Amino acid sequence: MFAALRPNILSRAAAVQTRPIMSRLYTTGSGNSSLLVVEHRNGAVDGATLNALTAAQKLGGDITALVAGGAPENVAKEIAKYGGITKVLVAKDDAYAHSLPETLAPLLVEAQKKLGFSHVFAGHTAFGKNVLPRVAALLDVAAISDITGIESEDTFVRPIYAGNAIATVKSSDKVKIITVRGTAFPAATTIQNSPSEEAAPDAEKTALSEWVGEELIKSDRPDLNSAKRVISGGRGMKNGENFQMLYDLADKMDAAVGASRAAVDAGYVDNSLQIGQTGKIVAPELYIAVGISGAIQHLAGMKDSKTIVAINKDAEAPIFQVADYGLVEDLFKAVPEMTQKL
Amino acid sequence: MSKALRIVVPVKRVIDYAVKVRVNPSKTDVDRNVKHSMNPFDEIAVEEAVRIKERLPSTEIIAVSCGSAKSQETLRTALAMGADTAIHVEVADDSKLQPLAVAKLLKAIAEEQKPDVIILGKQAIDDDSNQTGQMLAGLLNWPQATFASKVEISDTLAKVTREVDGGLETISSKLPVIITTDLRLNEPRYASLPNIMKAKKKKLTKSSPEQLKVDIAPRLETLKVEEPPKRQGGKKVESVDDLIDKLKNEAKVL
């Protein structure tokens, strides 16, 4: 997907260089003013926040980062170092500790109303998906989910039908509420930056719901969303114990491990490893699909990977149609052999 | 449970998940002359409501669908799975119906029906927006429990386990509440033939955006719809050695 959009962005970038009038529209004086909602965990910026920041930078104009939480200080300091941030709004209150949308949404609405942002950006992660549509409804505007490209300040590109079609949509709303597909934009980088920091506006903190607890999956391997290499197993793995083969190979390659829905549903691995339309969307440099047939819903989550490898004993499996390199062989033979030879 | 629980379940008619969609020649939309069925996440929502009713038989389940006349087929499916009554909000062109408009229609229905719980799918597999439940919760100022993989409803409380990026999270809130379903919540049942026959006799009420006083004008205009870029796949390698060599020397990813 990104590959298709890139020519568009590049041609626009070229247009900016050769036609100064375009640069006025896209980089300065556009009147754009964006609010970046910062997702964070354990005192560090998380999710697709830095990718969403890159998307906001493409629009031009001022970018204000909002950090809300029980102890937001470190995150506020961290995000201030990234390019394009002109101001950091800090909302410190225990009511924001677990990012409950019922308290976060009124805060974002208050910030938008007081400061008049034209765009609100967040990553299209469990956090962004949960909060931003609620904000949009409170502002009576559409939300634009999972964008993979920006054509102009009101026109955005997003995949529909599990990535089998790409829609270009134009918003008629005054405020654009946008979640960004992390893999479609590179992460922003740090620069010499000294944005101002101020307290976020006060908003009502009605406790409509209560956070009870969480069970997070601990892993020493790279995070699926940002890993450069991903190895995924499907139904062909036969059971959870056999995933150890993939972990061994992943460790050799410094790769993250993912799974198809079939493998998750069969209980081989945890839900949070699912890649696909309804799981995570990844676009690593190398994606190795092991024992995965390649259903539409799975392809939706990985077909923007740079190089795709399929290892499957069924030569007719649809995964081979998208794989750059396909190896028709029993995975129980091929995977250990590969681990041993690397 | 001291009082009868009322559950509203919104369902959407979408192109069947197994259909490979194609962009139409004028690049304005996808070809819609293909098999349609109930959005898979909505089947899970109906199933969850029916399971609650099996535990608490005084529960009433109201299925709602906003869309063209054909949405009634989807409502009949929900009735055959165990919903008690259905409401069809008819709109001429459901391809122009967007999440904000649906959320407003559902808000008007909720104000009429006064449910304790509204269970929606987390996303429709056509527009992939993942917005309607959250928008509805915002409009009603109700708590929201999205991406649910486990739902426990007690007298006045809902305890919901959610699928989040790093694992699972549990939240609890008072009723009324909005819940959106993730794949892992349950395994939807197939409607049996007797139940399909019985569903034909269940009450289906018609409504309209005008009756509900909701402006459904789209806020987003689709300028174009295109095919995604095709990948040049299909190259086979002979052995693991060959594969490692190609990855190192040709693709340069190892």
Side-chain angles (χ1 to χ4, degrees), chain A residues 184-251:
Chain A
F185 297 87
T189 48
T190 53
I191 55 159
Q192 281 292 337
N193 218 17
S194 47
S196 61
E197 184 178 309
E198 58 185 71
D202 264 336
E204 206 184 330
K205 298 177 192 81
T206 325
L208 284 176
S209 69
E210 190 191 331
W211 185 86
V212 179
E214 65 188 359
E215 280 172 63
L216 299 179
I217 305 303
K218 299 237 179 331
S219 169
D220 297 332
R221 291 186 191 85
D223 178 53
L224 254 186
N225 291 308
S226 53
K228 286 194 161 60
R229 294 165 188 159
V230 174
I231 303 172
S232 277
R235 196 193 303 274
M237 296 304 297
K238 293 206 167 75
N239 62 45
E241 288 76 60
N242 289 336
F243 261 76
Q244 189 56 46
M245 287 190 325
L246 299 192
Y247 294 135
D248 293 343
L249 180 56
D251 289 343

Side-chain angles (χ1 to χ4, degrees), chain A residues 26-295:
Chain A
Y26 291 103
T27 60
T28 57
S30 63
N32 290 328
S33 167
S34 297
L35 179 67
L36 175 73
V37 188
V38 178
E39 179 177 351
H40 56 93
R41 179 173 287 281
N42 301 329
V45 174
D46 195 23
T49 303
L50 297 178
N51 312 84
L53 174 55
T54 301
Q57 288 168 350
K58 280 191 192 299
L59 261 185
D62 290 343
I63 302 170
T64 300
L66 183 140
V67 186
E73 297 84 355
N74 286 344
V75 181
K77 261 189 215 127
E78 186 191 338
I79 196 72
K81 293 177 192 153
Y82 285 88
I85 306 269
T86 45
K87 191 193 286 182
V88 180
L89 290 179
V90 183
K92 181 179 160 72
D93 194 304
D94 285 340
Y96 302 128
H98 297 290
S99 300
L100 293 172
E102 295 83 355
T103 45
L104 267 188
L107 171 67
L108 298 179
V109 168
E110 239 1 82
Q112 197 285 326
K113 287 191 170 158
K114 288 242 162 68
L115 299 162
F117 299 109
S118 58
H119 297 74
V120 178
F121 285 96
H124 191 68
T125 56
F127 165 85
K129 291 180 217 181
N130 197 24
V131 177
L132 261 62
R134 190 172 177 114
V135 175
L138 295 175
L139 292 169
D140 191 25
V141 300
I144 308 159
S145 291
D146 202 20
I147 67 158
T148 52
I150 296 180
E151 297 270 300
S152 73
E153 59 187 28
D154 61 3
T155 305
F156 308 92
V157 179
R158 58 179 303 268
I160 52 177
Y161 292 93
N164 286 294
I166 310 294
T168 304
V169 295
K170 184 176 177 184
S171 166
S172 57
D173 286 316
K174 213 176 143 202
V175 187
K176 283 83 177 169
I177 308 290
I178 297 162
T179 55
V180 174
R181 177 174 293 200
T183 56
F185 297 87
T189 48
T190 53
I191 55 159
Q192 281 292 337
N193 218 17
S194 47
S196 61
E197 184 178 309
E198 58 185 71
D202 264 336
E204 206 184 330
K205 298 177 192 81
T206 325
L208 284 176
S209 69
E210 190 191 331
W211 185 86
V212 179
E214 65 188 359
E215 280 172 63
L216 299 179
I217 305 303
K218 299 237 179 331
S219 169
D220 297 332
R221 291 186 191 85
D223 178 53
L224 254 186
N225 291 308
S226 53
K228 286 194 161 60
R229 294 165 188 159
V230 174
I231 303 172
S232 277
R235 196 193 303 274
M237 296 304 297
K238 293 206 167 75
N239 62 45
E241 288 76 60
N242 289 336
F243 261 76
Q244 189 56 46
M245 287 190 325
L246 299 192
Y247 294 135
D248 293 343
L249 180 56
D251 289 343
K252 278 269 174 94
M253 292 172 45
D254 193 27
V257 172
S260 70
R261 181 185 165 189
V264 172
D265 282 353
Y268 303 169
V269 291
D270 187 74
N271 301 346
S272 59
L273 300 190
Q274 187 186 328
I275 290 169
Q277 181 182 20
T278 63
K280 290 195 165 64
I281 312 274
V282 299
E285 284 175 19
L286 175 60
Y287 187 89
I288 305 184
V290 182
I292 292 178
S293 64

